[in-house]
Amino acid sequence: NIVLTQSPATLSVTPGESVSLSCRASQSISTSIHWYQQKSNESPRLLIKYASQSISGIPSRFSGSGSGTDFTLSINRVESEDFSIYYCQQSYSSLYTFGAGTKLELK
Amino acid sequence: EVQLQESGPGLVKPSQSLSLTCSVTGYSITSNYWGWIRKFPGNKMEWMGYISYSGSTSYNPSLKSRISITRDTSKNQFFLQLNSVTTEDTATYYCARGYGGYSDLFAYWGQGTLVTVSS
């Protein structure tokens, strides 16, 4: 199984800061990584596909980068609605797996 | 707009079967891919499997002996059955639709339904 390690587990920030969330794969997965946001009591929302491709309707402050084993979700100037959990998910192997999540919280 | 809604028992006894329905509106399940994902207490997420537009299926190998995903195209519904459940199957279960024509990422999700396995 491909293991995805997300760091940090929790990130405390103030609105207006820019942040980077990391996702590291246990083997090279090209760009087969996708990012989701899950707010409390809501279902996950797809933010970024295939490492860096944007999704229609997602604010432009969200961006993704990386290839191989190291991936980053960046949020430019965090807004109050962004405080939630962020997951990465790989689809390089036919057994899709998720990272454990990074919780973005208000400092 | 595509909408998905999970339904089924919220409490299942150990060793019994868990059965959930995903009702889809605004889009035909004879197109695209339709999957089940669960989220355990503590936030771990697990992909369980999917059924395709043609009815073919793919399952997480860790569940392969216990899981079945089927569909009823006349009702635009698809189903999850998980046999021989234990307390470790307690989770929030989500149904989801693939993005575009892809099976490997999930664009639309149901609201989720909590299933507790307990005697």
Side-chain angles (χ1 to χ4, degrees):
Chain A
N1 297 0
I2 296 174
V3 177
L4 299 177
T5 302
Q6 291 190 245
S7 61
T10 304
L11 188 56
S12 301
V13 302
T14 56
E17 283 189 61
S18 294
V19 299
S20 293
L21 285 61
S22 173
C23 178
R24 178 164 291 178
S26 58
Q27 67 181 73
S28 180
I29 58 171
S30 185
T31 57
S32 298
I33 199 81
H34 320 293
W35 291 92
Y36 299 85
Q37 174 194 57
Q38 187 172 30
K39 298 180 181 180
S40 183
N41 297 319
E42 295 186 9
S43 53
R45 178 173 71 151
L46 180 64
L47 296 178
I48 297 288
K49 61 183 175 78
Y50 298 106
S52 62
Q53 296 178 15
S54 60
I55 300 294
S56 175
I58 299 302
S60 59
R61 63 181 180 274
F62 292 95
S63 64
S65 64
S67 66
T69 59
D70 292 318
F71 302 90
T72 300
L73 174 70
S74 299
I75 309 175
N76 185 32
R77 293 196 291 272
V78 170
E79 299 188 5
S80 57
E81 64 187 35
D82 299 337
F83 293 109
S84 50
I85 301 175
Y86 292 85
Y87 294 94
C88 55
Q89 176 240 321
Q90 67 81 23
S91 62
Y92 184 81
S93 77
S94 58
L95 170 53
Y96 311 143
T97 54
F98 290 83
T102 290
K103 182 178 182 180
L104 187 67
E105 66 175 22
L106 180 63
K107 182 184 283 184
Chain B
E1 180 188 359
V2 58
Q3 293 187 336
L4 298 89
Q5 177 70 58
E6 304 90 351
S7 60
L11 180 64
V12 181
K13 294 185 186 314
S15 80
Q16 294 189 342
S17 293
L18 178 162
S19 295
L20 296 176
T21 297
C22 184
S23 300
V24 180
T25 57
Y27 199 91
S28 172
I29 65 168
T30 59
S31 297
N32 224 298
Y33 291 84
W34 306 88
W36 290 95
I37 299 107
R38 61 182 178 176
K39 181 175 178 179
F40 299 100
N43 295 328
K44 177 186 173 184
M45 301 269 284
E46 180 180 68
W47 170 75
M48 302 181 73
Y50 69 71
I51 187 164
S52 78
Y53 54 88
S54 67
S56 63
T57 55
S58 178
Y59 300 132
N60 187 320
S62 70
L63 301 170
K64 200 159 190 177
S65 62
R66 298 197 292 137
I67 189 174
S68 177
I69 299 176
T70 57
R71 66 179 184 170
D72 183 336
T73 57
S74 67
K75 294 182 178 179
N76 217 40
Q77 295 175 326
F78 63 106
F79 312 101
L80 171 69
Q81 181 171 317
L82 188 65
N83 299 324
S84 305
V85 299
T86 71
T87 56
E88 296 188 351
D89 293 307
T90 293
T92 297
Y93 288 76
Y94 296 94
C95 59
R97 197 205 83 178
Y99 180 92
Y102 300 102
S103 67
D104 58 342
L105 66 162
F106 313 104
Y108 296 93
W109 297 64
Q111 66 184 29
T113 187
L114 175 62
V115 179
T116 301
V117 180
S118 175
S119 54

